[in-house]
Structure formats: C-alpha cells, structure tokens
Amino acid sequence: MKDLSRRSFLRAAIGVTIVGATSSVISLFAPGKLKAASAATDMQPGGFPDGYDPFAHLFSYVIDLKKCIGCGSCVRACKKENDVPDEFYRTWVERYQKGRDRPVEIDSPDGGLYGFPSSTAGTEGVSKAYYVPKMCNHCAQTPCVQVCPFSATYLSPDGLVLVDGERCMGCGYCVQACPYASRFLNPRTKTADKCTWCYHRISRGLRPACVQACPTGTRMFGDVKDPYDPVRHIIDTERIGVLQPQMLTKPKCYYIGLDKEVR
Amino acid sequence: MHEVLGYVFPNDLHILWSLMIVLYPYVTGLVAGAFIVSSLYHVFEFESLKPIARFALIASLAFLLVATWPLLLHLGHPLRGINVMITPNFTSAMAGFGYFYGGYMIILLFEVWLVYRKDIVTYARRSRGLKQWIYKLLALGVYDISEEAQQIDRRAVKFLAAIGIPAAFLLHGYVGFLFGALKSNPWWSTPLMPIIFIFSAVVSGIAALIVMYQVAMKLKGLVIDRACIGTMVRWLWLFLIITASLEMLEIITLAYEKAEEWEIIRQLLTGPLALSYIGIQMIMGVLIPFILLMIIVLLDRNMGDKVANTLSFTAASLLLIQVFAMRWNVVIGGQMISKSLAGMRQAYRPELFGRESITTAIFIMIVPIVFIFVAEWLLPMFKFSEEQTRKLKETADYSKGYTE
Amino acid sequence: MEHSKHLWRAVLILLVLSLGYLLGRGLLVPDTFGEYGHFRGANLAEQMNVRVPNHGIGPESCAPCHAERVKNIAKTPHRVINCETCHGPLRTHVDYPSIEAFMKNPSQFKRTAPMEIHSAQDLCIKCHDAQPAKPKGFPTVEVVQHLKEMGVEPGPNVCMECHDPHDPKI
C-alpha cells in the first residue's frame, strides 16, 4: 500500500514535470497559444480609456515640410508633455541650407528646442533651405523591435512602437539599430526611450502634443483605419516620401516635399 | 560639451556602448581562440601542442566565466537580463545569447571535467580535508579510471572538442553578427564582420596562450617547450594573415565601391580613429608582428631558444593589443559616426574609475588570471618534476616526458 | 557500458538543470505576455496611463474661463495657434487628476499657478525671424534692421511695444 502510494506520487510528479516543461517549450515559440484559455480579457481599473480599442485604429503621421517655420514649438511641447531628459529628444527639428556653390549645411541647435538662430555661416548664396521635423517613424518593419532580445519593445496593435519600461534592461541594441536616431537611453530610468506619439493622449482621442503645438499645420496625425481621416486622404492622394526608404523599414511617418539631402 | 564635426543627430551625441562593450568581444574572443588551440590537439592531433592543451582549456574556461561581466556591468537593469532566457524574441540576434553562452559553457565544463577526470579521481583518493571533498564532489561519486573508462573519456573529449569548435565559432561569430547585421550603421554592417571576429579571436587566443604559457613557465621555473611555441607561432602567423587580409578587404571594398558611407568612414579613419586604427591596429598590430612571426617561422632552425621566445612573446603581446584595438575601433568607432552620415563625434575617453571604467576593465581581466592560479592549485596543468626538467634540459627533447 | 557510469551521472545533472530551466521559465513569464502579441500585454494599458496629459485639447480647454480671449483671437491671423504653444502646458496652470475629469467640468478645478507667458522678444522671432528656410509667404522680419528703422532700442519684450500677440496687426 505504502509502495503503491509512493509510486503514484512519483508518477504524478513526473506527469506534472513533463506537462510543465512541455508547455514551457511550446510557449517559448508561441506565447499566448497556451495563455489564450486563461487570458484575462477584462481590463482592471487603470486599463484602456473608455471606448478605446487598440485593434480598431492604425495611426499615421504626415509632416508637410512646405509649411514648417522652424519655431521649435513641437520640441518644447514634447519636452513638457513627456518629461524628456535634457540633451535627449523624442522629436527634433533640423535646418538644411544649400546653394549652387555651397555644400549642404545642416544644423539642429539643441534639437531646435529654442528655435533657430540666424545662420552663423551667413545666408549668402543659399538658394534652397528648409526645416525638417523628425521623430520616431513608428516603422511597420522596424529594426528596433527586430533586435530587442525579449520584446521589451514591440509593435502595438494600433501601429505604434512602444517600450515596456518595466522589462527593458537598457542594453541599447535598439538604439544602435534605429537608422533615424529616434531612440535614446533615458539616463533617469536607464531604459530605452522614444516618441510614443503621446499614447496617453491619442488613446483618449487627443492629438499628440507636437501636433497640437504646431502653429502652421505642418504636423498632422490621423488614423488610416478611418475612411474620412484627412491624413489617410493625404497618404492616398499626395506625393509623399519617407526617410531612408532604402532601409525598408516602412515608416508610418510621411513627408510632403522631402528633399534628397534628408536622411 | 561634445566635440562634433559636421552634423550629428541630436540623440547621436552620446557614446552608448562603452569600454565594457569593447571588452566583451575581446574576452569571448580569447575564449574561442584558446579553445581552438586545445582542439587542435584534441581533434586534429597536433602532438606538439600537448604541453599547452590542458592550459588552453582552463584559460578558455577562465575567460568564459567573466565574459558576461562586462555586459552585466553595462546594463541599466542587469537583473532583467534573465528575460533573454524567459521570453526570447527569436528575430533578435541577441536572443541567442543565453543559449549560445549556456551551451558552450556546458560543452567546455564537460570537456574540462573529462580531461581532468583521471587526476580528480587520483587526488580524491590521495588528498585529505577540504581538498578531498572538492575532488569527491568533482568526481560525482564515480571512481572508475580503468583503461576502458579512460578510453570512453578520450572518445568523449574528442567528440566534445569537435562540437566545441562550431560552438566556439557560434559564440564568437555571433558577437560579430550582432554588429555586422545592423543596417543602421555602415561601419558595422558587413557580412565579413562575424568572420573577422572569429579569425581575430583565434589570433588573440593563440597570442594570449603564447604570452601566458611563457610567463607560467618562468613562474614555475620550467622549460619553455620550443616545439609547442613553434607550432603556435605558425598557426598564429597563418591566422594573422587571414585576419589582416579580411580587415583590409573590408576597407578596400568600402573605398573602391565609394558608396555613400565611404565619405564619412574615410574621415573617421583619418580623423578621430587615425591613431587607434592606422597606428595601433594596422602598423603596430599587423605589420610588426607579421614581420616578427615571419622571422621566427622562416629562420626557425638558425635561432636560439631565447631569441625565438623573446620574438614570439613580443609579437604575441603586440597582437593582443591589435585585437583589442580592432574591437575598440569597431565598437567605439562605429558609434562615433552619426547615423546622419554627415558628421561624427571627435573623441571618446572612458572614465578612469566607476562602473564602466578602465579600472573595472583591468579588474575583469585579472579575474581569469586568478582563476587560472586556483585551477593550477586544484588541478595542476603543468606537471614537470624538477628532475624531469633537468633531464629534459640535458636531452633537449621536450616533447617527451609529459604525462597524460 | 559499465565503464560509462560517470558520463550518465553528468548527463543526468544536465537533464535536471534543463528541466529546472524549463519549469522556472514557465513561472517567470509575465502573466499577460502574449495576450496581444509577443510582448507583455498589460504594458499597453500602462502606456495609456503613463501620465496625465499635461497639454489640454486646444482652445476649448481655455474657453471655459477665458471665453473673451479665445473668441477675440479667433478673428486674428493667430487663430491657428494653440494657446499652449506660446503659453506652455495647461496643467502648469490648472491641476486636474485626469483629462476626462477636466473636460467634463473644467470650472471645478482651481487655478494652481499663473499661466506661463513667453512674452520675451525671442518668442516672436522664433517664428518671424527672417531666415532663408522660412516658407514662401510667411510673414518674417529682419529684426535688427526693423528695430533700427523703427527707432526702437533692442531689449526684452521690445516687440510688444508695438505688436500685440493676441491681435497681431501690422
């Protein structure tokens, strides 16, 4: 009798071990498959804002370079909205100046946070000049998500590239992998940090702080799943470009009037 | 303020990967390189490497133990590193780290254990006190060292050494891949990168063994085995030629293709990296050791032991610096170029004290040496008696007299 | 086989370690991992609630208290500019626990501090300084030359001596 119970205990223990190990192996390659049954679909308080379904949206951003006046309001608004640490930028503005006999001159003093001073090199012979606001492109095929060793950064259902600040270990691989230098390691949290298109705002139906602060309508934000969205209309009908298209990262940030000098 | 040339993206002003990330590929390179030397004996049966085969294994293990330290010191949240084994994202090259490192660690521990098993059992029977307990634990309670058991061990060692070669290549080539597979950085992005890393790893491994072996022999008052050094020098010369060819091939291809990135890389190599790339990596690290090693290889018979040893020691030391410079130029150099390809950082100096400082780096490099001393205390790898040494000196036949 | 007992012991240790890894791993995977994809699902909601929006939703946020200002500026060319662009974020002026609560009933929240006012001259010239990169048709001015022509001494708030940002007539 004693022997029997011992044997059945052993058998149960081995059974549990095998089941545990097998499910661990399966979930290694297909997480969620096993979780699906137990997944909590109800959101706790502090969950999604009322009426927001991340699967019902796909956000995009359009920047009309013909309108940008380089005032830096977007950079200031971003810093104040998102508490971005000094010397780092979730969004910034560049200035390009070029002439027939002048090589292209690019600058972005403090990311454009304090606007742009008159050019030190003078404006003699400048025939083409423009400002270029930049930020995270929220690429659909993004290298940063590809290289994150355990998906601490990920592509959200509504098309944003986000960083899970509670899981990121701060290796910086995503920062190296981003061709646009949109990411940085936040010196305070020691984790990767970047533009979230103000996820805490857009999930409440507000516009990102930079879009709202822009005095000229250079920056436009919209939802391409909404058939009447002006941003979707621009993307569908206008001649638009993306930064570094050769990288095949498929940015969701589109530029009107992009010049070849801009990387 | 950051010294900058040209236009640098505002977030590109900071060198993110510090001295620690330079050290990491350097240390794993030593791991892989030392292992290859021991495999040359265990698998490819280069008998002249017998005196150093065990030492090479222990050295490989010693460096492997500290290989993760620079990484952990660099991480903002080191404890979260475990996630790489919990929810790995297999599209990331970095996700393989835990598995490559762990797998290689198992192979290496297994091999070291089997190579030393006869000694462990012998000591377990002979010694007393604490040491005996350690040996008993290491023997796993099996004291069978019959000829049949040893036969099995030898075959297992050969098998492990054989699968260890691709494992070591994987462990280190993967480090090269981490850099080589980033399209965002033109100075890193080349399929040559893993290959360059592997071959320069072998260079650094052999060079480190030449240096450490000679020092160890001096410390123990033993005779340096000329045949062993000779074989290592020949391999070193070969691998140096391959490494240098690949490194130059990379530059020549970039320069010849004149693609958009060449403009900034040219400025980088002749500007901020001029000393560490042209001066240290190429002239001091390739040209001079190449000539020294060639002299030893070609004039082997006409050269006294002392001259040959001094020359090989010098060449090997220079090559250790060369490989470090190469890692530096890759890791730091790559980060000096802004992704705007229109500008670069002018200089980067690691701090002297602190978490990711020069002092920490030196400490990390000392730990394996200490480990080797402990290993020598527990499981001697050089086993000449004084009498043997004297005899060997007389007969000048160094390849005999070694015990298994 | 009888002489390979030590090998089997080592293999057993390895097996135990691997099993330990797999079981331990199962325990350490975050609860909501894989809920919406290969990431910790709970982070989506965390990101949405990472902070209370500092900026409001536009002039509508200001209108409940400053109806006159908002109405007047709507008649000027500066109507396209959000109040917060020049003044700074709303939440430095009125503290609210959530933007939803503020929008439901703005007047219940008290003013905590005076609104920032960027009335220095460099606020005006951030937009209106004459630079080659400004878009065609955008009103700009050569500041130094302009001040000289107008016979005004350069200094802080010098623009405001003639211009009112809330009603920018020339």
Side-chain angles (χ1 to χ4, degrees):
Chain A
M1 193 62 206
K2 202 177 171 189
D3 194 40
L4 201 69
S5 69
R6 190 202 211 168
R7 190 177 292 167
S8 59
F9 168 75
L10 263 179
R11 201 174 288 164
I14 290 170
V16 166
T17 313
I18 288 173
V19 170
T22 323
S23 71
S24 184
V25 170
I26 294 171
S27 72
L28 191 59
F29 297 99
K33 285 270 158 62
L34 289 160
K35 286 256 164 60
S38 64
T41 40
D42 54 317
M43 285 308 302
Q44 304 84 351
F48 295 168
D50 283 345
Y52 185 74
D53 174 12
F55 290 91
H57 305 270
L58 187 63
F59 295 113
S60 282
Y61 204 108
V62 169
I63 296 174
D64 187 349
L65 295 179
K66 290 177 190 151
K67 291 182 184 164
C68 184
I69 56 170
C71 63
S73 299
C74 46
V75 187
R76 291 190 289 279
C78 178
K79 283 257 181 196
K80 285 176 176 163
E81 179 68 38
N82 296 301
D83 195 18
V84 183
D86 290 347
E87 284 204 17
F88 294 95
Y89 302 89
R90 285 188 176 193
T91 184
W92 70 96
V93 183
E94 296 168 358
R95 175 170 62 181
Y96 289 70
Q97 302 186 92
K98 195 177 188 291
R100 176 157 293 278
D101 303 316
R102 283 174 69 123
V104 61
E105 178 200 321
I106 318 169
D107 66 345
S108 178
D110 295 305
L113 182 61
Y114 308 109
F116 286 82
S118 299
S119 175
T120 45
T123 51
E124 194 75 27
V126 170
S127 58
K128 179 162 74 173
Y130 46 87
Y131 304 99
V132 182
K134 285 188 177 175
M135 63 186 153
C136 173
N137 288 293
H138 294 274
C139 311
Q141 238 177 56
T142 176
C144 55
V145 169
Q146 182 195 2
V147 303
C148 180
F150 44 79
S151 299
T153 187
Y154 59 89
L155 204 57
S156 76
D158 31 14
L160 278 77
V161 177
L162 297 172
V163 182
D164 184 342
E166 278 184 22
R167 301 196 81 222
C168 175
M169 63 174 171
C171 68
Y173 202 24
C174 56
V175 182
Q176 304 287 9
C178 174
Y180 309 102
S182 308
R183 285 173 167 258
F184 54 90
L185 268 199
N186 188 319
R188 285 198 297 261
T189 61
K190 309 238 184 284
T191 55
D193 200 339
K194 63 184 276 299
C195 162
T196 62
W197 277 347
C198 289
Y199 203 40
H200 60 294
R201 297 177 61 83
I202 60 173
S203 59
R204 290 176 167 77
L206 313 183
R207 291 174 296 166
C210 52
V211 176
Q212 197 160 295
C214 181
T216 61
T218 300
R219 289 170 173 260
M220 287 165 274
F221 182 76
D223 176 3
V224 294
K225 278 193 180 168
D226 173 2
Y228 303 105
D229 193 290
V231 161
R232 169 167 155 167
H233 184 73
I234 292 173
I235 295 169
D236 286 350
T237 57
E238 301 248 350
R239 298 173 204 180
I240 48 174
V242 293
L243 297 174
Q244 302 188 42
Q246 76 279 11
M247 291 288 177
L248 295 177
T249 55
K250 302 194 177 163
K252 285 197 283 289
C253 190
Y254 302 92
Y255 287 86
I256 301 171
L258 193 63
D259 193 62
K260 66 176 171 44
E261 304 290 349
V262 184
R263 266 188 78 83
Chain B
M1 256 335 268
H2 311 282
E3 289 172 67
V4 164
L5 195 78
Y7 174 64
V8 172
F9 284 144
N11 286 332
D12 268 349
L13 281 169
H14 311 265
I15 297 278
L16 181 57
W17 283 355
S18 65
L19 179 64
M20 289 296 116
I21 306 298
V22 179
L23 201 61
Y24 162 62
Y26 188 62
V27 171
T28 54
L30 292 172
V31 171
F35 187 85
I36 300 299
V37 175
S38 88
S39 284
L40 283 176
Y41 168 73
H42 286 298
V43 181
F44 300 103
E45 296 177 351
F46 285 89
E47 283 300 321
S48 55
L49 290 175
K50 192 172 180 179
I52 202 159
R54 286 184 162 203
F55 178 55
L57 267 187
I58 292 291
S60 182
L61 182 61
F63 286 113
L64 188 67
L65 290 176
V66 299
T68 52
W69 293 14
L71 292 181
L72 292 174
L73 281 163
H74 174 74
L75 290 181
H77 298 275
L79 288 179
R80 295 182 189 173
I82 189 71
N83 283 333
V84 79
M85 301 284 282
I86 307 298
T87 57
N89 168 27
F90 288 117
T91 64
S92 165
M94 213 183 253
F97 175 80
Y99 301 103
F100 292 151
Y101 182 84
Y104 182 72
M105 177 72 103
I106 289 166
I107 291 173
L108 193 55
L109 281 175
F110 229 131
E111 188 177 340
V112 169
W113 179 64
L114 287 172
V115 164
Y116 277 101
R117 210 179 63 83
K118 191 186 155 201
D119 295 20
I120 293 170
V121 172
T122 316
Y123 294 134
R125 286 179 180 147
R126 225 187 272 158
S127 51
R128 290 279 164 271
L130 172 71
K131 253 190 166 178
Q132 189 184 23
W133 279 105
I134 300 176
Y135 292 126
K136 276 187 166 171
L137 197 69
L138 287 176
L140 300 184
V142 182
Y143 301 95
D144 179 5
I145 45 170
S146 60
E147 189 46 45
E148 291 92 334
Q150 286 194 49
Q151 189 66 34
I152 291 171
D153 286 357
R154 272 192 290 272
R155 277 185 10 225
V157 165
K158 195 163 191 172
F159 172 73
L160 286 171
I163 60 167
I165 298 172
F169 272 42
L170 211 58
L171 178 76
H172 194 65
Y174 143 85
V175 180
F177 185 80
L178 282 185
F179 294 98
L182 280 190
K183 60 183 167 191
S184 58
N185 192 320
W187 181 227
W188 288 346
S189 172
T190 159
L192 278 181
M193 195 61 86
I195 307 178
I196 295 178
F197 263 63
I198 287 170
F199 281 108
S200 67
V202 180
V203 167
S204 71
I206 302 178
L209 285 176
I210 289 177
V211 169
M212 292 198 293
Y213 174 64
Q214 295 202 22
V215 173
M217 293 298 101
K218 279 267 145 59
L219 285 178
K220 302 212 82 164
L222 299 174
V223 176
I224 295 164
D225 187 316
R226 175 75 182 271
C228 178
I229 291 281
T231 308
M232 283 203 285
V233 161
R234 280 173 180 79
W235 282 109
L236 185 56
W237 193 48
L238 174 68
F239 279 108
L240 170 63
I241 292 170
I242 299 175
T243 309
S245 311
L246 289 170
E247 282 173 11
M248 282 189 278
L249 180 64
E250 192 198 345
I251 297 297
I252 291 168
T253 311
L254 275 170
Y256 196 81
E257 282 182 356
K258 283 195 179 67
E260 62 170 345
E261 65 266 25
W262 172 243
E263 192 53 32
I264 192 75
I265 290 175
R266 184 181 59 78
Q267 290 177 43
L268 179 77
L269 295 183
T270 53
L273 281 193
L275 177 69
S276 63
Y277 187 81
I278 300 171
I280 297 176
Q281 187 182 337
M282 284 309 179
I283 295 176
M284 196 187 99
V286 172
L287 193 64
I288 298 176
F290 172 78
I291 294 169
L292 290 179
L293 292 174
M294 188 166 70
I295 292 171
I296 310 172
V297 172
L298 295 182
L299 303 179
D300 195 14
R301 281 165 212 283
N302 314 331
M303 201 180 277
D305 282 359
K306 230 180 187 141
V307 181
N309 288 339
T310 313
L311 284 183
S312 61
F313 190 88
T314 315
S317 308
L318 286 176
L319 283 172
L320 282 177
I321 297 170
Q322 192 267 348
V323 176
F324 188 82
M326 177 261 174
R327 309 291 195 244
W328 174 277
N329 292 331
V330 169
V331 177
I332 302 296
Q335 296 179 86
M336 284 175 137
I337 310 174
S338 172
K339 287 160 185 164
S340 66
L341 299 193
M344 58 193 165
R345 294 232 347 181
Q346 279 293 63
Y348 163 73
R349 308 226 185 295
E351 9 164 46
L352 208 52
F353 301 101
R355 192 165 147 188
E356 298 182 48
S357 64
I358 297 172
T359 321
T360 321
I362 293 171
F363 174 75
I364 290 175
M365 292 312 284
I366 288 175
V367 172
I369 311 289
V370 174
F371 177 84
I372 289 170
F373 274 100
V374 175
E376 174 69 16
W377 167 75
L378 203 61
L379 298 163
M381 23 196 154
F382 307 108
K383 309 200 288 188
F384 282 110
S385 67
E386 275 174 38
E387 191 197 7
Q388 273 175 318
T389 317
R390 192 163 38 77
K391 249 189 219 159
L392 283 168
K393 265 183 184 161
E394 284 163 10
T395 56
D397 184 358
Y398 303 133
S399 58
K400 284 179 192 162
Y402 284 94
T403 48
E404 180 64 32
Chain C
M1 277 317 251
E2 62 165 307
H3 291 291
S4 54
K5 198 174 158 198
H6 58 287
L7 279 184
W8 292 114
R9 284 216 182 157
V11 169
L12 188 71
I13 292 175
L14 197 62
L15 273 177
V16 169
L17 285 178
S18 324
L19 268 179
Y21 157 66
L22 285 175
L23 290 177
R25 190 196 153 262
L27 292 174
L28 284 170
V29 176
D31 275 346
T32 54
F33 197 87
E35 202 174 333
Y36 305 109
H38 200 271
F39 59 93
R40 190 172 62 92
N43 186 242
L44 274 185
E46 284 168 22
Q47 295 267 357
M48 293 174 194
N49 298 302
V50 67
R51 61 174 62 83
V52 178
N54 283 332
H55 289 79
I57 63 163
E60 298 94 308
S61 319
C62 313
C65 300
H66 308 279
E68 199 66 9
R69 269 266 194 267
V70 173
K71 210 164 70 190
N72 286 344
I73 204 165
K75 297 172 195 152
T76 77
H78 274 181
R79 64 181 168 274
V80 291
I81 308 173
N82 196 327
C83 311
E84 289 164 311
T85 302
C86 300
H87 286 280
L90 171 68
R91 201 146 177 266
T92 57
H93 176 56
V94 183
D95 197 20
Y96 44 86
S98 76
I99 194 80
E100 290 96 333
F102 178 80
M103 289 322 297
K104 215 173 274 171
N105 185 8
S107 47
Q108 67 169 306
F109 298 105
K110 293 276 169 293
R111 186 189 103 131
T112 53
M115 194 67 181
E116 284 181 61
I117 305 171
H118 300 296
S119 58
Q121 75 174 45
D122 72 321
L123 180 80
C124 302
I125 64 170
K126 266 172 192 148
C127 292
H128 295 289
D129 183 32
Q131 286 183 18
K134 299 283 173 186
K136 279 183 194 74
F138 184 77
T140 60
V141 62
E142 290 276 1
V143 180
V144 180
Q145 202 187 323
H146 179 65
L147 290 180
K148 209 177 276 171
E149 277 170 17
M150 297 293 152
V152 183
E153 282 295 311
N157 298 339
V158 67
C159 306
M160 315 292 181
E161 285 176 22
C162 309
H163 306 279
D164 176 7
H166 290 119
D167 189 12
K169 280 188 294 255
I170 311 219

